[in-house]
């Protein structure tokens, strides 16, 4: 596994060297956008429509924050880098420990496996055992992907798992959903509720992740494989100007070789 973060985790006065590895592997099928005539991949240019239609160079692009419509504060790269260095955390520590059922799943974001660095195996195992016995989650701050995250550390199988969680102001209010029904406006009959609960009871089964698959992805893969088997493969058709360039280069190379040969013959005489 590829290490995406390396640092230390303080457990009281005990420092544990740790590495983070992505716990999730995206399985999306990436489809390219090609020009239908020559099958060349489409490239997207960066332009400033109100200024010029030519492609903008990277050196001419700045970062900014829109504080009012069409009003911006320009942020210099050096300012951003200094800010990042000031708040980047390579040594993290537990802010507190909380009950495992205190965080609603809506707060969870990304998951990372936590592994020990060489020499920290015993401290790592000690933390894992302590979290397991107390059934607690450890709360930490960590810098990942140019952002400071709130995260929890918990037991997962034979190791530890770090999961970043959203800040409270990033969670929208469910009350803002339009047309939310209310009990006082739409009464529920007792027999209707009992029937619904009975249906849930009869449909309840243990959760086995392996039983569920992405049916669309499998169907798309089957379609791709079927097209390959039926020899519907296509290759990029290079524009004719490239062929002309190659021919010109080859002819120039031949002429250069002839000139060298003539020169060598003259010297031999």
């Amino acid at each position: 596994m590829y290490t995406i973060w390396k640092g230390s985790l303080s457990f009281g006065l005990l420092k544990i060297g740790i590495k983070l590895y992505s716990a999730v592997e995206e399985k999306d099928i990436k489809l390219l956008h090609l020009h239908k005539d020559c099958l060349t991949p489409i490239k997207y240019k960066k332009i400033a429509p109100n200024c010029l239609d030519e492609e903008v160079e990277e050196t001419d692009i700045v970062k900014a924050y829109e504080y009012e419509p069409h009003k911006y504060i320009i942020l210099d790269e050096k300012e951003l880098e200094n800010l990042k260095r000031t708040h980047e955390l390579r040594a993290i520590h537990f802010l507190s420990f909380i009950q495992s059922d205190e965080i609603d799943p809506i707060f969870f974001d990304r998951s990372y496996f936590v592994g020990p660095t060489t020499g920290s195996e015993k401290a790592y195992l000690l933390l894992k055992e302590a979290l397991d016995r107390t059934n607690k989650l450890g709360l930490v701050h960590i810098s990942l992907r140019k952002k400071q995250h709130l995260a929890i550390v918990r037991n997962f199988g034979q190791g530890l798992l770090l999961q970043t969680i959203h800040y409270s102001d990033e969670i929208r209010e469910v009350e803002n959903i339009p047309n939310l029904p209310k009990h006082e406006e739409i009464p529920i009959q007792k027999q209707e509720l009992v029937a619904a609960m009975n249906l849930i009871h009869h449909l309840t089964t243990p959760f086995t992740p392996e039983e569920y698959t992405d049916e669309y992805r499998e169907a798309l893969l089957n379609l791709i494989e079927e097209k390959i088997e039926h020899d519907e493969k296509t290759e990029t058709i290079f524009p004719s100007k490239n062929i002309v360039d190659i021919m010109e280069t080859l002819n120039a190379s031949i002429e250069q070789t002839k000139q060298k040969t003539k020169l060598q013959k003259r010297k031999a005489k």
Side-chain angles (χ1 to χ4, degrees), residues 181-196:
K182 297 180 180 179
H183 284 286
E184 55 270 23
E185 297 173 355
I186 306 175
I188 301 295
Q189 300 299 321
K190 183 178 180 181
Q191 58 268 33
E192 293 172 333
L193 181 58
V194 170

Side-chain angles (χ1 to χ4, degrees), residues 52-95:
L52 73 168
D53 292 329
E54 297 176 4
E55 187 171 4
V56 178
E57 298 291 334
E58 285 294 331
T59 52
D60 294 325
I61 299 175
V62 296
K63 292 182 179 178
Y65 176 78
E66 188 176 21
Y67 62 94
E68 285 182 18
H70 309 297
K71 292 185 178 181
Y72 308 95
I73 289 294
I74 304 299
L75 296 167
D76 186 81
E77 285 292 344
K78 289 183 179 179
E79 292 177 317
L80 293 173
E81 279 299 317
N82 289 336
L83 201 63
K84 179 187 171 185
R85 278 195 294 269
T86 303
H87 294 277
E88 189 174 28
L89 303 171
R90 282 292 170 184
I92 60 177
H93 65 277
F94 286 111
L95 304 172

Side-chain angles (χ1 to χ4, degrees), residues 25-26 35 57 62-63 94 100 115 138 168 187 245 248 250 253:
E25 182 181 0
E26 297 293 340
H35 183 241
E57 298 291 334
V62 296
K63 292 182 179 178
F94 286 111
S100 58
S168 61
D245 291 342
E248 287 179 356
L250 290 174
S253 299

Side-chain angles (χ1 to χ4, degrees), residues 163-180:
Q163 288 178 287
T164 55
I165 60 178
H166 295 290
Y167 292 100
S168 61
D169 59 358
E170 295 177 314
I171 307 297
R172 292 176 173 174
E173 296 292 337
V174 68
E175 290 78 8
N176 292 335
I177 295 177
N179 201 34
L180 266 183

Side-chain angles (χ1 to χ4, degrees), residues 31-242:
L31 300 178
L32 300 176
H33 290 89
L34 306 180
H35 183 241
K36 68 177 183 178
D37 292 334
C38 65
L39 302 181
T40 302
I42 299 297
K43 292 183 178 180
Y44 296 92
K45 294 182 178 180
K46 295 178 180 178
I47 63 171
N50 296 330
C51 179
L52 73 168
D53 292 329
E54 297 176 4
E55 187 171 4
V56 178
E57 298 291 334
E58 285 294 331
T59 52
D60 294 325
I61 299 175
V62 296
K63 292 182 179 178
Y65 176 78
E66 188 176 21
Y67 62 94
E68 285 182 18
H70 309 297
K71 292 185 178 181
Y72 308 95
I73 289 294
I74 304 299
L75 296 167
D76 186 81
E77 285 292 344
K78 289 183 179 179
E79 292 177 317
L80 293 173
E81 279 299 317
N82 289 336
L83 201 63
K84 179 187 171 185
R85 278 195 294 269
T86 303
H87 294 277
E88 189 174 28
L89 303 171
R90 282 292 170 184
I92 60 177
H93 65 277
F94 286 111
L95 304 172
S96 67
F97 291 90
I98 58 178
Q99 298 293 337
S100 58
D101 59 354
E102 284 188 75
I103 303 179
D104 190 276
I106 195 174
F107 280 88
F108 291 117
D109 186 17
R110 292 176 177 266
S111 299
Y112 302 92
F113 290 135
V114 182
T117 58
T118 303
S120 293
E121 293 86 354
K122 185 174 182 179
Y124 176 93
L125 200 58
L126 175 64
L127 172 61
K128 174 176 168 51
E129 188 69 17
L131 288 173
D132 186 40
R133 295 293 183 93
T134 57
N135 195 30
K136 297 286 178 70
L137 307 177
L139 201 61
V140 300
H141 263 140
I142 186 169
S143 297
L144 288 170
R145 303 180 187 277
K146 298 182 180 181
K147 180 183 175 182
Q148 191 176 98
H149 298 268
L150 192 61
I152 58 100
V153 177
R154 68 178 179 88
N155 269 303
F156 186 83
Q158 299 301 310
L160 293 173
L161 187 73
L162 182 142
Q163 288 178 287
T164 55
I165 60 178
H166 295 290
Y167 292 100
S168 61
D169 59 358
E170 295 177 314
I171 307 297
R172 292 176 173 174
E173 296 292 337
V174 68
E175 290 78 8
N176 292 335
I177 295 177
N179 201 34
L180 266 183
K182 297 180 180 179
H183 284 286
E184 55 270 23
E185 297 173 355
I186 306 175
I188 301 295
Q189 300 299 321
K190 183 178 180 181
Q191 58 268 33
E192 293 172 333
L193 181 58
V194 170
M197 292 170 64
N198 281 335
L199 179 58
I200 291 174
H201 174 72
H202 287 297
L203 291 176
T204 299
T205 60
F207 176 55
T208 310
E210 295 79 13
E211 291 182 1
Y212 306 93
T213 57
D214 185 339
E215 295 177 359
Y216 170 76
R217 180 167 62 89
E218 289 186 353
L220 181 55
L221 281 173
N222 289 336
L223 176 62
I224 292 170
E225 289 173 5
E226 187 178 326
K227 282 181 170 288
I228 292 172
E229 287 176 7
H230 287 78
D231 203 27
E232 293 185 39
K233 303 184 291 295
T234 52
E235 296 179 7
T236 298
I237 304 169
F238 290 102
S240 57
K241 65 176 185 178
N242 287 350

